[in-house]
PDB file of all heavy atoms in Angstrom:
ATOM      1  N   VAL A 668      -8.840   1.844  17.546  1.00  0.00           N
ATOM      2  CA  VAL A 668     -10.269   1.794  17.226  1.00  0.00           C
ATOM      3  C   VAL A 668     -10.862   3.200  17.229  1.00  0.00           C
ATOM      4  O   VAL A 668     -11.649   3.569  16.339  1.00  0.00           O
ATOM      5  CB  VAL A 668     -11.008   0.878  18.219  1.00  0.00           C
ATOM      6  CG1 VAL A 668     -12.519   1.011  18.057  1.00  0.00           C
ATOM      7  CG2 VAL A 668     -10.587  -0.578  18.016  1.00  0.00           C
ATOM      8  N   ALA A 669     -10.479   4.017  18.209  1.00  0.00           N
ATOM      9  CA  ALA A 669     -10.987   5.390  18.275  1.00  0.00           C
ATOM     10  C   ALA A 669     -10.537   6.196  17.060  1.00  0.00           C
ATOM     11  O   ALA A 669     -11.319   6.965  16.473  1.00  0.00           O
ATOM     12  CB  ALA A 669     -10.509   6.058  19.563  1.00  0.00           C
ATOM     13  N   LEU A 670      -9.287   6.030  16.677  1.00  0.00           N
ATOM     14  CA  LEU A 670      -8.763   6.736  15.505  1.00  0.00           C
ATOM     15  C   LEU A 670      -9.535   6.355  14.248  1.00  0.00           C
ATOM     16  O   LEU A 670      -9.950   7.225  13.459  1.00  0.00           O
ATOM     17  CB  LEU A 670      -7.279   6.400  15.336  1.00  0.00           C
ATOM     18  CG  LEU A 670      -6.620   6.771  14.003  1.00  0.00           C
ATOM     19  CD1 LEU A 670      -6.655   8.266  13.781  1.00  0.00           C
ATOM     20  CD2 LEU A 670      -5.192   6.257  13.956  1.00  0.00           C
ATOM     21  N   ALA A 671      -9.738   5.055  14.038  1.00  0.00           N
ATOM     22  CA  ALA A 671     -10.461   4.598  12.853  1.00  0.00           C
ATOM     23  C   ALA A 671     -11.894   5.123  12.838  1.00  0.00           C
ATOM     24  O   ALA A 671     -12.439   5.453  11.777  1.00  0.00           O
ATOM     25  CB  ALA A 671     -10.445   3.072  12.793  1.00  0.00           C
ATOM     26  N   GLN A 672     -12.506   5.225  14.015  1.00  0.00           N
ATOM     27  CA  GLN A 672     -13.880   5.736  14.081  1.00  0.00           C
ATOM     28  C   GLN A 672     -13.931   7.217  13.711  1.00  0.00           C
ATOM     29  O   GLN A 672     -14.829   7.661  12.983  1.00  0.00           O
ATOM     30  CB  GLN A 672     -14.446   5.532  15.484  1.00  0.00           C
ATOM     31  CG  GLN A 672     -15.944   5.782  15.579  1.00  0.00           C
ATOM     32  CD  GLN A 672     -16.736   4.744  14.804  1.00  0.00           C
ATOM     33  OE1 GLN A 672     -16.590   3.551  15.023  1.00  0.00           O
ATOM     34  NE2 GLN A 672     -17.573   5.197  13.882  1.00  0.00           N
ATOM     35  N   ILE A 673     -12.966   7.989  14.201  1.00  0.00           N
ATOM     36  CA  ILE A 673     -12.922   9.418  13.869  1.00  0.00           C
ATOM     37  C   ILE A 673     -12.730   9.609  12.366  1.00  0.00           C
ATOM     38  O   ILE A 673     -13.432  10.412  11.727  1.00  0.00           O
ATOM     39  CB  ILE A 673     -11.793  10.118  14.652  1.00  0.00           C
ATOM     40  CG1 ILE A 673     -12.120  10.148  16.147  1.00  0.00           C
ATOM     41  CG2 ILE A 673     -11.572  11.540  14.128  1.00  0.00           C
ATOM     42  CD1 ILE A 673     -10.955  10.583  17.022  1.00  0.00           C
ATOM     43  N   MET A 674     -11.789   8.871  11.784  1.00  0.00           N
ATOM     44  CA  MET A 674     -11.545   9.010  10.350  1.00  0.00           C
ATOM     45  C   MET A 674     -12.781   8.620   9.542  1.00  0.00           C
ATOM     46  O   MET A 674     -13.142   9.290   8.570  1.00  0.00           O
ATOM     47  CB  MET A 674     -10.348   8.148   9.936  1.00  0.00           C
ATOM     48  CG  MET A 674      -9.015   8.583  10.519  1.00  0.00           C
ATOM     49  SD  MET A 674      -8.493  10.242  10.017  1.00  0.00           S
ATOM     50  CE  MET A 674      -8.246  10.007   8.252  1.00  0.00           C
ATOM     51  N   THR A 675     -13.442   7.540   9.934  1.00  0.00           N
ATOM     52  CA  THR A 675     -14.626   7.066   9.212  1.00  0.00           C
ATOM     53  C   THR A 675     -15.766   8.068   9.298  1.00  0.00           C
ATOM     54  O   THR A 675     -16.478   8.308   8.312  1.00  0.00           O
ATOM     55  CB  THR A 675     -15.069   5.703   9.777  1.00  0.00           C
ATOM     56  OG1 THR A 675     -14.003   4.758   9.624  1.00  0.00           O
ATOM     57  CG2 THR A 675     -16.304   5.184   9.059  1.00  0.00           C
ATOM     58  N   ASP A 676     -15.942   8.681  10.465  1.00  0.00           N
ATOM     59  CA  ASP A 676     -17.077   9.579  10.674  1.00  0.00           C
ATOM     60  C   ASP A 676     -16.842  10.988  10.135  1.00  0.00           C
ATOM     61  O   ASP A 676     -17.788  11.634   9.662  1.00  0.00           O
ATOM     62  CB  ASP A 676     -17.397   9.675  12.167  1.00  0.00           C
ATOM     63  CG  ASP A 676     -18.025   8.405  12.720  1.00  0.00           C
ATOM     64  OD1 ASP A 676     -18.448   7.557  11.910  1.00  0.00           O
ATOM     65  OD2 ASP A 676     -18.074   8.253  13.956  1.00  0.00           O
ATOM     66  N   TYR A 677     -15.603  11.479  10.194  1.00  0.00           N
ATOM     67  CA  TYR A 677     -15.372  12.901   9.931  1.00  0.00           C
ATOM     68  C   TYR A 677     -14.526  13.190   8.694  1.00  0.00           C
ATOM     69  O   TYR A 677     -14.612  14.281   8.137  1.00  0.00           O
ATOM     70  CB  TYR A 677     -14.721  13.557  11.159  1.00  0.00           C
ATOM     71  CG  TYR A 677     -15.639  13.574  12.343  1.00  0.00           C
ATOM     72  CD1 TYR A 677     -15.626  12.534  13.267  1.00  0.00           C
ATOM     73  CD2 TYR A 677     -16.561  14.599  12.520  1.00  0.00           C
ATOM     74  CE1 TYR A 677     -16.494  12.524  14.353  1.00  0.00           C
ATOM     75  CE2 TYR A 677     -17.433  14.601  13.595  1.00  0.00           C
ATOM     76  CZ  TYR A 677     -17.400  13.562  14.504  1.00  0.00           C
ATOM     77  OH  TYR A 677     -18.272  13.551  15.568  1.00  0.00           O
ATOM     78  N   ILE A 678     -13.709  12.248   8.260  1.00  0.00           N
ATOM     79  CA  ILE A 678     -12.926  12.424   7.033  1.00  0.00           C
ATOM     80  C   ILE A 678     -13.209  11.209   6.153  1.00  0.00           C
ATOM     81  O   ILE A 678     -12.317  10.401   5.874  1.00  0.00           O
ATOM     82  CB  ILE A 678     -11.418  12.597   7.320  1.00  0.00           C
ATOM     83  CG1 ILE A 678     -11.173  13.737   8.316  1.00  0.00           C
ATOM     84  CG2 ILE A 678     -10.671  12.943   6.022  1.00  0.00           C
ATOM     85  CD1 ILE A 678     -10.949  13.307   9.727  1.00  0.00           C
ATOM     86  N   PRO A 679     -14.468  11.021   5.744  1.00  0.00           N
ATOM     87  CA  PRO A 679     -14.873   9.789   5.060  1.00  0.00           C
ATOM     88  C   PRO A 679     -14.321   9.713   3.644  1.00  0.00           C
ATOM     89  O   PRO A 679     -13.861  10.702   3.076  1.00  0.00           O
ATOM     90  CB  PRO A 679     -16.402   9.880   5.060  1.00  0.00           C
ATOM     91  CG  PRO A 679     -16.681  11.346   5.053  1.00  0.00           C
ATOM     92  CD  PRO A 679     -15.588  11.962   5.881  1.00  0.00           C
ATOM     93  N   VAL A 680     -14.401   8.507   3.083  1.00  0.00           N
ATOM     94  CA  VAL A 680     -13.875   8.239   1.744  1.00  0.00           C
ATOM     95  C   VAL A 680     -14.898   7.426   0.968  1.00  0.00           C
ATOM     96  O   VAL A 680     -15.491   6.492   1.506  1.00  0.00           O
ATOM     97  CB  VAL A 680     -12.550   7.443   1.811  1.00  0.00           C
ATOM     98  CG1 VAL A 680     -12.070   7.101   0.406  1.00  0.00           C
ATOM     99  CG2 VAL A 680     -11.490   8.230   2.552  1.00  0.00           C
ATOM    100  N   GLY A 681     -15.097   7.770  -0.299  1.00  0.00           N
ATOM    101  CA  GLY A 681     -15.878   6.909  -1.171  1.00  0.00           C
ATOM    102  C   GLY A 681     -17.149   7.541  -1.682  1.00  0.00           C
ATOM    103  O   GLY A 681     -17.605   8.588  -1.205  1.00  0.00           O
ATOM    104  N   ASP A 682     -17.729   6.875  -2.661  1.00  0.00           N
ATOM    105  CA  ASP A 682     -18.957   7.336  -3.286  1.00  0.00           C
ATOM    106  C   ASP A 682     -20.065   7.429  -2.242  1.00  0.00           C
ATOM    107  O   ASP A 682     -20.345   6.474  -1.516  1.00  0.00           O
ATOM    108  CB  ASP A 682     -19.348   6.358  -4.396  1.00  0.00           C
ATOM    109  CG  ASP A 682     -20.548   6.836  -5.188  1.00  0.00           C
ATOM    110  OD1 ASP A 682     -20.711   8.057  -5.305  1.00  0.00           O
ATOM    111  OD2 ASP A 682     -21.304   5.987  -5.681  1.00  0.00           O
ATOM    112  N   GLY A 683     -20.706   8.600  -2.163  1.00  0.00           N
ATOM    113  CA  GLY A 683     -21.782   8.786  -1.203  1.00  0.00           C
ATOM    114  C   GLY A 683     -21.316   9.180   0.177  1.00  0.00           C
ATOM    115  O   GLY A 683     -22.136   9.490   1.046  1.00  0.00           O
ATOM    116  N   ARG A 684     -20.002   9.184   0.411  1.00  0.00           N
ATOM    117  CA  ARG A 684     -19.469   9.573   1.720  1.00  0.00           C
ATOM    118  C   ARG A 684     -18.838  10.954   1.560  1.00  0.00           C
ATOM    119  O   ARG A 684     -17.706  11.087   1.136  1.00  0.00           O
ATOM    120  CB  ARG A 684     -18.455   8.547   2.210  1.00  0.00           C
ATOM    121  CG  ARG A 684     -19.035   7.140   2.324  1.00  0.00           C
ATOM    122  CD  ARG A 684     -17.973   6.157   2.799  1.00  0.00           C
ATOM    123  NE  ARG A 684     -18.487   4.804   2.855  1.00  0.00           N
ATOM    124  CZ  ARG A 684     -18.390   3.923   1.864  1.00  0.00           C
ATOM    125  NH1 ARG A 684     -17.789   4.269   0.739  1.00  0.00           N
ATOM    126  NH2 ARG A 684     -18.877   2.707   1.985  1.00  0.00           N
ATOM    127  N   LYS A 685     -19.586  11.949   1.907  1.00  0.00           N
ATOM    128  CA  LYS A 685     -19.202  13.319   1.575  1.00  0.00           C
ATOM    129  C   LYS A 685     -18.401  13.973   2.698  1.00  0.00           C
ATOM    130  O   LYS A 685     -18.576  13.669   3.875  1.00  0.00           O
ATOM    131  CB  LYS A 685     -20.451  14.138   1.246  1.00  0.00           C
ATOM    132  CG  LYS A 685     -21.193  13.632   0.007  1.00  0.00           C
ATOM    133  CD  LYS A 685     -22.453  14.422  -0.262  1.00  0.00           C
ATOM    134  CE  LYS A 685     -23.095  14.008  -1.581  1.00  0.00           C
ATOM    135  NZ  LYS A 685     -23.456  12.587  -1.621  1.00  0.00           N
ATOM    136  N   ARG A 686     -17.534  14.896   2.286  1.00  0.00           N
ATOM    137  CA  ARG A 686     -16.714  15.660   3.208  1.00  0.00           C
ATOM    138  C   ARG A 686     -17.197  17.110   3.230  1.00  0.00           C
ATOM    139  O   ARG A 686     -17.780  17.595   2.267  1.00  0.00           O
ATOM    140  CB  ARG A 686     -15.245  15.625   2.772  1.00  0.00           C
ATOM    141  CG  ARG A 686     -14.603  14.246   2.829  1.00  0.00           C
ATOM    142  CD  ARG A 686     -13.228  14.227   2.178  1.00  0.00           C
ATOM    143  NE  ARG A 686     -12.506  12.984   2.482  1.00  0.00           N
ATOM    144  CZ  ARG A 686     -11.319  12.666   1.977  1.00  0.00           C
ATOM    145  NH1 ARG A 686     -10.707  13.492   1.128  1.00  0.00           N
ATOM    146  NH2 ARG A 686     -10.731  11.531   2.314  1.00  0.00           N
ATOM    147  N   SER A 687     -16.907  17.779   4.324  1.00  0.00           N
ATOM    148  CA  SER A 687     -17.179  19.214   4.401  1.00  0.00           C
ATOM    149  C   SER A 687     -16.167  19.846   5.336  1.00  0.00           C
ATOM    150  O   SER A 687     -15.562  19.162   6.175  1.00  0.00           O
ATOM    151  CB  SER A 687     -18.597  19.480   4.916  1.00  0.00           C
ATOM    152  OG  SER A 687     -18.685  19.200   6.302  1.00  0.00           O
ATOM    153  N   GLY A 688     -16.002  21.156   5.198  1.00  0.00           N
ATOM    154  CA  GLY A 688     -15.047  21.857   6.036  1.00  0.00           C
ATOM    155  C   GLY A 688     -15.377  21.755   7.509  1.00  0.00           C
ATOM    156  O   GLY A 688     -14.489  21.558   8.350  1.00  0.00           O
ATOM    157  N   THR A 689     -16.664  21.873   7.855  1.00  0.00           N
ATOM    158  CA  THR A 689     -17.040  21.831   9.270  1.00  0.00           C
ATOM    159  C   THR A 689     -16.805  20.447   9.870  1.00  0.00           C
ATOM    160  O   THR A 689     -16.290  20.317  10.981  1.00  0.00           O
ATOM    161  CB  THR A 689     -18.515  22.226   9.443  1.00  0.00           C
ATOM    162  OG1 THR A 689     -19.329  21.394   8.597  1.00  0.00           O
ATOM    163  CG2 THR A 689     -18.728  23.678   9.072  1.00  0.00           C
ATOM    164  N   MET A 690     -17.175  19.399   9.123  1.00  0.00           N
ATOM    165  CA  MET A 690     -16.986  18.042   9.637  1.00  0.00           C
ATOM    166  C   MET A 690     -15.503  17.702   9.763  1.00  0.00           C
ATOM    167  O   MET A 690     -15.063  17.120  10.767  1.00  0.00           O
ATOM    168  CB  MET A 690     -17.685  17.037   8.723  1.00  0.00           C
ATOM    169  CG  MET A 690     -19.200  17.057   8.806  1.00  0.00           C
ATOM    170  SD  MET A 690     -19.831  16.499  10.417  1.00  0.00           S
ATOM    171  CE  MET A 690     -19.473  14.741  10.330  1.00  0.00           C
ATOM    172  N   MET A 691     -14.714  18.058   8.755  1.00  0.00           N
ATOM    173  CA  MET A 691     -13.294  17.713   8.805  1.00  0.00           C
ATOM    174  C   MET A 691     -12.555  18.522   9.868  1.00  0.00           C
ATOM    175  O   MET A 691     -11.628  18.015  10.504  1.00  0.00           O
ATOM    176  CB  MET A 691     -12.660  17.896   7.428  1.00  0.00           C
ATOM    177  CG  MET A 691     -13.143  16.862   6.423  1.00  0.00           C
ATOM    178  SD  MET A 691     -12.221  16.843   4.868  1.00  0.00           S
ATOM    179  CE  MET A 691     -12.706  18.411   4.149  1.00  0.00           C
ATOM    180  N   THR A 692     -12.972  19.769  10.082  1.00  0.00           N
ATOM    181  CA  THR A 692     -12.362  20.561  11.157  1.00  0.00           C
ATOM    182  C   THR A 692     -12.660  19.938  12.511  1.00  0.00           C
ATOM    183  O   THR A 692     -11.784  19.850  13.384  1.00  0.00           O
ATOM    184  CB  THR A 692     -12.877  22.006  11.102  1.00  0.00           C
ATOM    185  OG1 THR A 692     -12.497  22.592   9.851  1.00  0.00           O
ATOM    186  CG2 THR A 692     -12.293  22.832  12.235  1.00  0.00           C
ATOM    187  N   ALA A 693     -13.905  19.484  12.682  1.00  0.00           N
ATOM    188  CA  ALA A 693     -14.247  18.796  13.930  1.00  0.00           C
ATOM    189  C   ALA A 693     -13.415  17.529  14.080  1.00  0.00           C
ATOM    190  O   ALA A 693     -12.889  17.233  15.168  1.00  0.00           O
ATOM    191  CB  ALA A 693     -15.738  18.463  13.947  1.00  0.00           C
ATOM    192  N   GLY A 694     -13.283  16.765  12.995  1.00  0.00           N
ATOM    193  CA  GLY A 694     -12.479  15.547  13.046  1.00  0.00           C
ATOM    194  C   GLY A 694     -11.034  15.828  13.387  1.00  0.00           C
ATOM    195  O   GLY A 694     -10.397  15.089  14.156  1.00  0.00           O
ATOM    196  N   LEU A 695     -10.492  16.903  12.822  1.00  0.00           N
ATOM    197  CA  LEU A 695      -9.108  17.273  13.109  1.00  0.00           C
ATOM    198  C   LEU A 695      -8.937  17.615  14.587  1.00  0.00           C
ATOM    199  O   LEU A 695      -7.935  17.241  15.218  1.00  0.00           O
ATOM    200  CB  LEU A 695      -8.716  18.464  12.233  1.00  0.00           C
ATOM    201  CG  LEU A 695      -7.242  18.827  12.116  1.00  0.00           C
ATOM    202  CD1 LEU A 695      -6.406  17.643  11.661  1.00  0.00           C
ATOM    203  CD2 LEU A 695      -7.071  19.994  11.148  1.00  0.00           C
ATOM    204  N   ASN A 696      -9.919  18.303  15.156  1.00  0.00           N
ATOM    205  CA  ASN A 696      -9.859  18.607  16.591  1.00  0.00           C
ATOM    206  C   ASN A 696      -9.912  17.329  17.427  1.00  0.00           C
ATOM    207  O   ASN A 696      -9.199  17.193  18.429  1.00  0.00           O
ATOM    208  CB  ASN A 696     -11.011  19.534  16.977  1.00  0.00           C
ATOM    209  CG  ASN A 696     -10.832  20.939  16.429  1.00  0.00           C
ATOM    210  OD1 ASN A 696      -9.705  21.388  16.216  1.00  0.00           O
ATOM    211  ND2 ASN A 696     -11.932  21.633  16.183  1.00  0.00           N
ATOM    212  N   TYR A 697     -10.757  16.382  17.015  1.00  0.00           N
ATOM    213  CA  TYR A 697     -10.835  15.114  17.745  1.00  0.00           C
ATOM    214  C   TYR A 697      -9.527  14.326  17.630  1.00  0.00           C
ATOM    215  O   TYR A 697      -9.103  13.657  18.579  1.00  0.00           O
ATOM    216  CB  TYR A 697     -11.999  14.274  17.226  1.00  0.00           C
ATOM    217  CG  TYR A 697     -13.359  14.842  17.551  1.00  0.00           C
ATOM    218  CD1 TYR A 697     -14.402  14.763  16.634  1.00  0.00           C
ATOM    219  CD2 TYR A 697     -13.616  15.462  18.772  1.00  0.00           C
ATOM    220  CE1 TYR A 697     -15.655  15.286  16.916  1.00  0.00           C
ATOM    221  CE2 TYR A 697     -14.866  15.989  19.060  1.00  0.00           C
ATOM    222  CZ  TYR A 697     -15.881  15.900  18.133  1.00  0.00           C
ATOM    223  OH  TYR A 697     -17.118  16.414  18.418  1.00  0.00           O
ATOM    224  N   LEU A 698      -8.886  14.394  16.463  1.00  0.00           N
ATOM    225  CA  LEU A 698      -7.596  13.721  16.307  1.00  0.00           C
ATOM    226  C   LEU A 698      -6.552  14.329  17.242  1.00  0.00           C
ATOM    227  O   LEU A 698      -5.737  13.603  17.833  1.00  0.00           O
ATOM    228  CB  LEU A 698      -7.120  13.816  14.856  1.00  0.00           C
ATOM    229  CG  LEU A 698      -7.867  12.969  13.825  1.00  0.00           C
ATOM    230  CD1 LEU A 698      -7.354  13.264  12.420  1.00  0.00           C
ATOM    231  CD2 LEU A 698      -7.725  11.476  14.125  1.00  0.00           C
ATOM    232  N   ARG A 699      -6.563  15.650  17.371  1.00  0.00           N
ATOM    233  CA  ARG A 699      -5.630  16.297  18.297  1.00  0.00           C
ATOM    234  C   ARG A 699      -5.902  15.848  19.730  1.00  0.00           C
ATOM    235  O   ARG A 699      -4.977  15.552  20.494  1.00  0.00           O
ATOM    236  CB  ARG A 699      -5.766  17.823  18.204  1.00  0.00           C
ATOM    237  CG  ARG A 699      -5.217  18.439  16.939  1.00  0.00           C
ATOM    238  CD  ARG A 699      -5.021  19.942  17.151  1.00  0.00           C
ATOM    239  NE  ARG A 699      -5.031  20.653  15.887  1.00  0.00           N
ATOM    240  CZ  ARG A 699      -6.073  21.329  15.411  1.00  0.00           C
ATOM    241  NH1 ARG A 699      -7.199  21.381  16.098  1.00  0.00           N
ATOM    242  NH2 ARG A 699      -5.988  21.955  14.255  1.00  0.00           N
ATOM    243  N   ASP A 700      -7.187  15.825  20.094  1.00  0.00           N
ATOM    244  CA  ASP A 700      -7.535  15.385  21.449  1.00  0.00           C
ATOM    245  C   ASP A 700      -7.096  13.942  21.677  1.00  0.00           C
ATOM    246  O   ASP A 700      -6.581  13.600  22.753  1.00  0.00           O
ATOM    247  CB  ASP A 700      -9.048  15.496  21.667  1.00  0.00           C
ATOM    248  CG  ASP A 700      -9.537  16.935  21.699  1.00  0.00           C
ATOM    249  OD1 ASP A 700      -8.692  17.839  21.861  1.00  0.00           O
ATOM    250  OD2 ASP A 700     -10.759  17.152  21.548  1.00  0.00           O
ATOM    251  N   LEU A 701      -7.311  13.098  20.671  1.00  0.00           N
ATOM    252  CA  LEU A 701      -6.927  11.695  20.804  1.00  0.00           C
ATOM    253  C   LEU A 701      -5.418  11.565  20.945  1.00  0.00           C
ATOM    254  O   LEU A 701      -4.926  10.760  21.753  1.00  0.00           O
ATOM    255  CB  LEU A 701      -7.419  10.900  19.593  1.00  0.00           C
ATOM    256  CG  LEU A 701      -7.073   9.408  19.588  1.00  0.00           C
ATOM    257  CD1 LEU A 701      -7.679   8.691  20.794  1.00  0.00           C
ATOM    258  CD2 LEU A 701      -7.543   8.749  18.288  1.00  0.00           C
ATOM    259  N   ARG A 702      -4.665  12.343  20.189  1.00  0.00           N
ATOM    260  CA  ARG A 702      -3.203  12.300  20.311  1.00  0.00           C
ATOM    261  C   ARG A 702      -2.777  12.671  21.736  1.00  0.00           C
ATOM    262  O   ARG A 702      -1.907  12.020  22.328  1.00  0.00           O
ATOM    263  CB  ARG A 702      -2.553  13.241  19.303  1.00  0.00           C
ATOM    264  CG  ARG A 702      -1.024  13.191  19.333  1.00  0.00           C
ATOM    265  CD  ARG A 702      -0.416  14.273  18.459  1.00  0.00           C
ATOM    266  NE  ARG A 702      -0.698  14.062  17.063  1.00  0.00           N
ATOM    267  CZ  ARG A 702       0.027  13.284  16.267  1.00  0.00           C
ATOM    268  NH1 ARG A 702       1.075  12.627  16.755  1.00  0.00           N
ATOM    269  NH2 ARG A 702      -0.286  13.158  15.000  1.00  0.00           N
TER     270      ARG A 702
END
Side-chain angles (χ1 to χ4, degrees):
V668 170
L670 166 62
Q672 191 67 55
I673 292 169
M674 294 298 295
T675 300
D676 288 346
Y677 294 92
I678 306 99
V680 176
D682 185 31
R684 302 179 183 93
K685 296 178 174 59
R686 295 171 168 176
S687 73
T689 54
M690 288 293 289
M691 290 190 291
T692 298
L695 194 55
N696 289 332
Y697 291 142
L698 288 175
R699 288 197 203 101
D700 292 344
L701 179 61
R702 183 188 294 275

